[in-house]
Amino acid sequence: MTSKIPTSKTVFVKLIEPLTGIINNCKSKRKCRILPDQQWIETGLLRVLSHESSGRSFLQKLFDSGRIILDRSLFFEALKSKRRLKLCQEVNFAVYKNAVQKWCDKDPLAQFSELNDYDIFAGDGHYHAAAAHDIKKTGKKYATQHFYALDLRNHFLNHLTVADTSGSRKKENDTRALKRLDKDTLRQSAPKGRKVLYVWDKAGIDFLQWFKWKHSAGIYFISREKKNMDLIMMGQLPFDRQDPINAGVLSYDYVGCSAGVSMFRVKYQCPVTRKRFNFVTSLSNISPGLIAYLYKL
């Protein structure tokens, strides 16, 4: 069983204030007399912030602090709940949206009117160290893999998904993870008519999937050309060479690929380092220099 111990206005209490009212509005919330959802979320946050190497050690520290008396088996069983995982995802996104509305008053991309219709994210995978309880594969434990999206308009970070490492899979390729996600998740609640743009490294390239997302969900991508790509030159697009944003652009190409779809390529040379880059994108009608700039961000 559990019991609450009254606490003063600690830093942690201030930290969790944004949760007030959010959990009650979540679709996945359920009443649980033994371990309420609010207390379960708070305990999970404490676990993430703690330096304890194991869950048992963490629970002992909680007991010693007098904050919460929590049964060990109850805590670990609750972590397996799919319903509570969904609750976590709902709470995470609600906190993210509330934070954006409350604290985001400056948009570094507002100066580029060409991007007014786009929500813009930088996406990537991230690894944590392997946990003590992680299942070994071929005699080795592999780190937990997550995928995140950083909003380039406000620099708030949102979690997209955890890697699918079922079966013998040790890690998941970025493209495979993205293709698992539904369109609503990828659009991150962008309203109808709003376009969504992801800037991703080479691991996120799948031209045929980019084409499908563009035409079915208004989702676009920017990445770097791989060395082994054999893109077919189909023509060059005009651009304003006098516009400062296009400084360094060598060419703006219309290209075909082996997937049977067309894309756009920007050949770019950094005016400072003189290093050359080739960017590929499903995005059109955007200044080529701006495509390079977004990747730099």
Side-chain angles (χ1 to χ4, degrees):
M1 64 178 291
T2 64
S3 61
K4 279 195 171 182
I5 306 299
T7 55
S8 60
K9 200 76 168 179
T10 62
V11 172
F12 181 73
V13 171
K14 288 290 291 180
L15 175 68
I16 63 175
E17 278 184 356
L19 294 179
T20 304
I22 286 179
I23 294 176
N24 288 332
N25 293 325
C26 290
K27 294 180 181 178
S28 300
K29 181 183 182 297
R30 298 289 184 275
K31 286 186 177 181
C32 179
R33 182 181 57 83
I34 301 175
L35 182 56
D37 284 340
Q38 178 86 22
Q39 187 175 341
W40 181 76
I41 291 282
E42 292 178 11
T43 305
L45 289 171
L46 284 170
R47 176 69 184 104
V48 171
L49 295 171
S50 76
H51 295 286
E52 304 305 313
S53 59
S54 71
R56 295 187 183 206
S57 176
F58 165 70
L59 292 177
Q60 184 62 51
K61 185 173 182 179
L62 276 186
F63 178 82
D64 293 341
S65 71
R67 178 180 174 82
I68 300 173
I69 301 172
L70 187 59
D71 182 81
R72 177 185 60 80
S73 61
L74 174 63
F75 176 71
F76 286 109
E77 284 302 314
L79 292 178
K80 300 176 185 178
S81 169
K82 292 182 179 180
R83 194 272 303 174
R84 295 205 196 230
L85 173 60
K86 191 167 182 61
L87 175 70
C88 254
Q89 293 168 334
E90 284 189 69
V91 170
N92 172 73
F93 193 69
V95 171
Y96 164 78
K97 296 300 287 186
N98 285 356
V100 169
Q101 293 172 5
K102 185 175 181 180
W103 291 305
C104 180
D105 57 355
K106 292 183 180 179
D107 176 4
L109 299 178
Q111 59 183 307
F112 304 111
S113 59
E114 297 172 83
L115 300 177
N116 284 349
D117 296 331
Y118 294 87
D119 287 345
I120 306 172
F121 302 94
D124 203 0
H126 178 73
Y127 295 87
H128 298 313
H133 59 269
D134 279 344
I135 299 173
K136 285 187 177 182
K137 295 187 178 182
T138 62
K140 181 181 177 181
K141 290 181 181 178
Y142 288 84
T144 304
Q145 182 185 3
H146 296 260
F147 296 92
Y148 294 92
L150 178 71
D151 192 326
L152 292 181
R153 291 193 180 278
N154 52 49
H155 281 217
F156 280 96
L157 189 70
N158 192 32
H159 184 264
L160 287 176
T161 189
V162 178
D164 174 15
T165 54
S166 58
S168 60
R169 190 178 296 108
K170 303 176 182 69
K171 60 173 72 173
E172 185 176 27
N173 177 267
D174 295 31
T175 300
R176 186 182 186 279
L178 288 170
K179 290 167 77 171
R180 279 195 296 107
L181 301 178
D182 58 49
K183 295 171 186 176
D184 289 338
T185 300
L186 283 173
R187 285 185 57 79
Q188 301 196 53
S189 295
K192 188 175 181 179
R194 184 84 174 159
K195 300 173 185 176
V196 175
L197 171 62
Y198 281 95
V199 185
W200 211 285
D201 63 20
K202 298 174 185 179
I205 292 178
D206 185 323
F207 287 148
L208 182 57
Q209 188 62 50
W210 284 13
F211 179 84
K212 291 178 181 177
W213 276 324
K214 173 180 177 178
H215 292 281
S216 66
I219 298 171
Y220 299 77
F221 276 79
I222 294 174
S223 190
R224 293 266 304 278
E225 182 180 3
K226 295 179 181 179
K227 289 182 179 180
N228 62 349
M229 282 182 175
D230 189 16
L231 298 178
I232 304 168
M233 186 70 170
M234 299 171 64
Q236 288 193 330
L237 301 175
F239 64 95
D240 185 0
R241 294 183 180 273
Q242 302 304 314
D243 189 337
I245 193 63
N246 292 324
V249 175
L250 303 176
S251 69
Y252 192 13
D253 306 330
Y254 183 52
V255 297
C257 62
S258 58
V261 297
S262 58
M263 291 288 145
F264 303 92
R265 177 178 62 194
V266 175
K267 290 186 177 181
Y268 178 82
Q269 183 174 39
C270 176
V272 178
T273 65
R274 312 306 297 171
K275 186 176 180 180
R276 292 196 176 197
F277 303 88
N278 284 359
F279 302 100
V280 287
T281 181
S282 56
L283 196 64
S284 60
N285 302 319
I286 297 294
S287 298
L290 193 49
I291 292 170
Y293 178 68
L294 288 173
Y295 195 91
K296 180 180 180 181
L297 292 181

